[in-house]
Amino acid sequence: MGARELYDTEQALKLPGPKRVQRIHEEAQMISADHILVLDEEPRPTVSSRIFGANGILVRVLYFISPALILVVWEIMARLGWVDVRLFSAPSLILKSLVPVVVSGELWMHTLVSVQRIVLGFLVGSLAGVLLGLLMGLLPPIRAALGPMVAATFPIPKLAIMPLILLMFGLGETSKVVTVAVGVFYLVLINTMTGVINIDRIYLDVARSFGASKKDFYLTVALPGALPMIFAGLKLGMGTALLLIVAAELSAARAGIGYMIWRAYDMFDIERMFVGLIDMSILGYLLSILLDILERIVIPWKEH
Amino acid sequence: MYDSSQTHSAVENILKNAGHSSVRSSPDALRLPAGTKIAVRDISKVFRTRAGKIVALEHMSFMIREGEFVCVVGPSGCGKTTLLRILAGLERQTAGKVYIVKGDNERTVMTREGSTISRDSRPLTSIVFQEQSVFPWLTVKQNVEYGLRMRGVPGEERSRIADHYIKMIGLAEFANAYPHQLSGGMKQRTSVARAFANDPEILLLDEPFGALDEQNRVLLQQELLRIWEGSRKTAIFITHSIDEALILGDRVIIMTARPGTVKAIVDVDLPRPRQVTDLKSQPAFLDLFRTIWGQLSEEVLKTRELERSQKDRARTRRSDHRSAF
């Protein structure tokens, strides 16, 4: 744009809107179509894209009906004799088996026993994990002293320690709680420690330049800064807790969902095994929602 | 408290040397010109890295008067931020001395029993950092209150002071919002308010508006001018923008390419109160701009030369490696 033209534009800008538009029109000239590239407006969505597209009706409908669809297919295949109902059962049979255990309260009893073990083990494991994780994250001597131990014992599958736990803590409730706690402990510990170590250095500088004491630093920077990672650890820990409870209830248990499933296995009661699985699935889902709600309350400052 | 051990981790060190507590008071009285606030005497800073020594600052000296607004410009990597971190007590110089004249903090405080004279806990410096530094887990108000809270200012007074500065930066409606709900400019305003609310004797600003867009930058410069002209605190403002240095500063310290030291100091005799928009069209402003650019451009070219030679050296090193295998 030349100086003269710029000056003109500035003059034009000082004028009210319509005059400026007029000026542009005045200067319009004919340009042959060969010299013009036209950028067209976006196409309107077609009927087929509205149905089959990435956000089409089909995708949305499938999302909701696919579980039902699979159940229907399963049922049909069972009725037609394409799958062996003695091994693979059928939705209708499972439902038939589900009703009595719900009505009799047996399922509730098993669920409550398992929930109690999970919650207790989870609390013990995560509390110990958070505390030790904070200490290891904040204090290098403690990190140096315990780090190798943690690194060496973490990869051991927690199921492999179960016999040892049974011997140490007996066949009662304690051994189940301890199994869950150990699994949760490692995940929470490692996440908490990582969370503390990875707090952005700038926040340490801010705390320091505003004269934060050691205690202030722990409470106003280290703990809140590590919270998102702590919750990531808790969520992972919950998954592990569900995994471990079933295994822990395999041996020397008198109740619990895991016990129910293993007992059904002994009795060759396929339907009851499925009832146990459905129960686990619902339980796991509810517990994860519970953790999400807790996270929203504890970390209101995080983008959700 | 003087801690010389270097064996602690970053976090440990930060806590051990919190703020200015590691600064030794000078053993005997010093002769300084009347009105001196900061005297930087021949300081150098050497960083030891795995790749070798990096001299960030070398024999740097200057003085800053009480109530003066000094801007520091220099090519990137010249040690501006290092200088500020030394003044803030976040880093310590390898050699040389920094003298900061402490204000007389005795004042009359009304208590229930009547008035008493007490030394208040007014901090020496507060810093506004270059990057996003407001705590994401605190609301705007809690962030602004942070320094006061650390100093043990009672809740009610804390709240009153914070509200005042939040209103001043125009975030009253966002007082209870968390940083993730704010734009970059609003976060930086919060950071400025946090430093001002702490009522330090010296305000240290490290390119606080560097990451902002032009429109927001002008608005914030205007706000900073307004707030500062109301308080007239000693302020040191690091920037890479000559415009910004001239708009805000009473004097501009031009630094050399690394190793950084003072290349020139320019007095900015533009009248106050200043208006950002008016200022830029004044002939005096343009003259000053040209003067500073003349000094600075040499250093920028030198920095480029330095970067090129470093790259060459790295390349030679790499090829040496290859031939060794």
Side-chain angles (χ1 to χ4, degrees):
Chain A
M1 205 186 271
R4 173 76 198 154
E5 216 176 322
L6 183 69
Y7 175 77
D8 283 348
T9 310
E10 277 180 355
Q11 287 298 315
L13 281 172
K14 279 179 192 148
L15 299 172
K19 287 217 174 147
R20 187 172 174 236
V21 175
Q22 196 184 1
R23 218 182 73 89
I24 289 166
H25 278 288
E26 274 167 19
E27 287 185 359
Q29 58 179 112
M30 295 300 289
I31 300 169
S32 94
D34 300 345
H35 289 97
I36 297 174
L37 171 68
V38 183
L39 301 177
D40 276 327
E41 64 270 15
E42 60 177 351
R44 308 180 106 234
T46 61
V47 175
S48 80
S49 79
R50 239 178 271 173
I51 295 171
F52 300 109
N55 274 316
I57 296 164
L58 186 68
V59 169
R60 267 176 285 174
V61 169
L62 267 181
Y63 184 83
F64 285 105
I65 66 160
S66 66
L69 209 65
I70 286 166
L71 289 179
V72 168
V73 171
W74 182 5
E75 184 68 37
I76 290 170
M77 283 167 70
R79 294 272 167 108
L80 292 177
W82 292 357
V83 295
D84 188 347
V85 285
R86 284 171 306 171
L87 295 175
F88 292 93
S89 193
S92 59
L93 295 174
I94 295 166
L95 196 69
K96 220 179 279 172
S97 178
L98 178 71
V99 174
V101 276
V102 171
V103 171
S104 70
E106 200 191 334
L107 191 65
W108 278 116
M109 187 271 289
H110 286 305
T111 309
L112 267 175
V113 168
S114 286
V115 166
Q116 207 174 356
R117 289 168 181 160
I118 291 173
V119 169
L120 214 60
F122 186 78
L123 283 180
V124 172
S126 54
L127 208 68
V130 168
L131 284 178
L132 201 62
L134 284 175
L135 283 174
M136 284 177 71
L138 288 166
L139 306 169
I142 293 188
R143 186 156 74 239
L146 300 179
M149 279 253 285
V150 171
T153 52
F154 173 58
I156 300 174
K158 302 306 163 282
L159 292 175
I161 324 175
M162 262 196 60
L164 197 63
I165 292 174
L166 281 175
L167 282 178
M168 284 170 154
F169 296 95
L171 302 174
E173 284 304 291
T174 321
S175 60
K176 279 113 202 143
V177 172
V178 168
T179 307
V180 172
V182 168
V184 174
F185 169 76
Y186 276 96
L187 291 169
V188 174
L189 166 72
I190 288 169
N191 270 277
T192 306
M193 184 176 76
T194 314
V196 174
I197 293 172
N198 289 342
I199 292 173
D200 203 331
R201 264 200 72 98
I202 187 80
Y203 300 128
L204 311 186
D205 279 346
V206 174
R208 189 179 160 198
S209 75
F210 282 101
S213 68
K214 215 166 193 169
K215 188 183 125 241
D216 288 331
F217 173 79
Y218 293 154
L219 291 178
T220 65
V221 180
L223 185 61
L227 270 180
M229 280 296 281
I230 291 176
F231 262 89
L234 291 178
K235 285 175 182 175
L236 285 172
M238 188 51 89
T240 308
L242 289 170
L243 179 103
L244 287 171
I245 194 66
V246 177
E249 287 170 350
L250 163 61
S251 49
R254 293 278 151 91
I257 307 172
Y259 165 79
M260 198 181 94
I261 294 171
W262 287 111
R263 186 96 181 113
Y265 170 79
D266 291 338
M267 317 277 286
F268 205 66
D269 188 347
I270 306 288
E271 284 74 30
R272 196 167 249 241
M273 289 165 76
F274 273 108
V275 168
L277 293 182
I278 293 167
D279 194 23
M280 284 301 277
S281 153
I282 294 171
L283 183 63
Y285 184 62
L286 290 180
L287 285 172
S288 78
I289 288 180
L290 203 71
L291 272 181
D292 279 342
I293 293 172
L294 195 68
E295 187 181 22
R296 273 164 205 271
I297 295 169
V298 176
I299 321 182
W301 49 272
K302 206 181 140 194
E303 257 176 295
H304 288 288
Chain B
M1 198 166 89
Y2 181 59
D3 179 49
S4 60
S5 73
Q6 294 293 312
T7 51
H8 300 282
S9 77
V11 174
E12 280 284 277
N13 266 330
I14 279 159
L15 295 168
K16 284 249 163 76
N17 302 334
H20 285 277
S21 56
S22 63
V23 176
R24 284 176 295 179
S25 44
S26 61
D28 38 279
L30 275 164
R31 279 173 84 84
L32 291 168
T36 302
K37 188 68 189 171
I38 300 171
V40 172
R41 291 279 173 80
D42 202 28
I43 62 164
S44 299
K45 175 73 186 177
V46 181
F47 288 106
R48 274 167 237 280
T49 67
R50 219 169 279 173
K53 280 200 283 185
I54 294 172
V55 184
L57 297 172
E58 198 169 44
H59 303 301
M60 191 168 190
S61 297
F62 60 89
M63 307 261 267
I64 289 171
R65 285 184 291 271
E66 172 89 53
E68 197 177 20
F69 199 124
V70 174
C71 291
V72 181
V73 295
S76 55
C78 74
K80 302 183 292 256
T81 296
T82 305
L83 171 69
L84 207 73
R85 289 177 63 86
I86 290 172
L87 294 178
L90 292 174
E91 202 105 51
R92 290 219 259 151
Q93 69 274 21
T94 314
K97 288 267 184 285
V98 176
Y99 303 102
I100 300 178
V101 180
K102 287 192 234 171
D104 186 10
N105 278 341
E106 277 180 11
R107 65 170 179 185
T108 312
V109 179
M110 297 298 288
T111 62
R112 276 200 206 102
E113 290 79 29
S115 65
T116 49
I117 305 264
S118 87
R119 284 192 77 80
D120 71 7
S121 59
R122 196 175 166 206
L124 207 52
T125 61
S126 288
I127 184 163
V128 180
F129 290 92
Q130 182 176 5
E131 65 260 63
Q132 202 284 104
S133 71
V134 292
F135 294 121
W137 47 86
L138 299 181
T139 62
V140 168
K141 185 162 174 181
Q142 288 168 336
N143 262 294
V144 174
E145 280 182 356
Y146 190 76
L148 302 166
R149 194 168 129 208
M150 294 303 106
R151 275 158 51 196
V153 175
E156 223 169 278
E157 194 186 348
R158 214 159 70 196
S159 175
R160 189 181 51 72
I161 296 169
D163 283 339
H164 172 74
Y165 284 98
I166 290 170
K167 211 175 138 198
M168 201 175 254
I169 54 159
L171 286 183
E173 285 159 52
F174 293 89
N176 295 315
Y178 284 102
H180 77 82
Q181 297 164 290
L182 307 180
S183 68
M186 288 154 97
K187 282 183 210 164
Q188 212 48 329
R189 263 140 79 189
T190 307
S191 184
V192 171
R194 179 171 66 188
F196 267 97
N198 202 27
D199 190 27
E201 293 181 33
I202 301 163
L203 205 56
L204 302 168
L205 305 107
D206 184 10
E207 282 194 46
F209 311 144
L212 300 181
D213 60 80
E214 177 76 21
Q215 293 95 319
N216 266 305
R217 188 158 52 233
V218 171
L219 283 176
L220 280 180
Q221 286 165 352
Q222 196 67 64
E223 276 172 37
L224 179 63
L225 271 179
R226 192 167 48 82
I227 301 172
W228 181 80
E229 277 164 2
S231 67
R232 296 271 173 170
K233 278 180 201 307
T234 312
I236 301 176
F237 190 105
I238 306 280
T239 177
H240 60 256
S241 156
I242 302 175
D243 272 355
E244 193 164 67
L246 291 175
I247 286 163
L248 300 170
D250 293 318
R251 280 193 301 155
V252 177
I253 295 178
I254 303 162
M255 283 180 70
T256 62
R258 205 174 70 209
T261 190
V262 177
K263 180 174 172 90
I265 297 179
V266 175
D267 282 312
V268 182
D269 37 16
L270 299 166
R272 291 186 190 271
R274 295 176 184 171
Q275 278 293 324
V276 176
T277 39
D278 298 345
L279 220 55
K280 287 191 182 179
S281 54
Q282 282 180 25
F285 183 91
L286 298 173
D287 278 345
L288 282 166
F289 187 96
R290 226 168 280 136
T291 310
I292 294 176
W293 175 242
Q295 298 279 331
L296 202 55
S297 55
E298 288 173 28
E299 299 307 317
V300 174
L301 292 174
K302 244 188 253 169
T303 303
R304 278 193 191 175
E305 198 56 49
L306 197 76
E307 281 164 355
R308 196 175 311 138
S309 67
Q310 265 170 353
K311 214 164 150 195
D312 287 345
R313 232 180 304 151
R315 201 177 298 140
T316 335
R317 245 201 316 266
R318 260 201 305 277
S319 57
D320 284 354
H321 264 283
R322 234 173 285 145
S323 59
F325 281 106

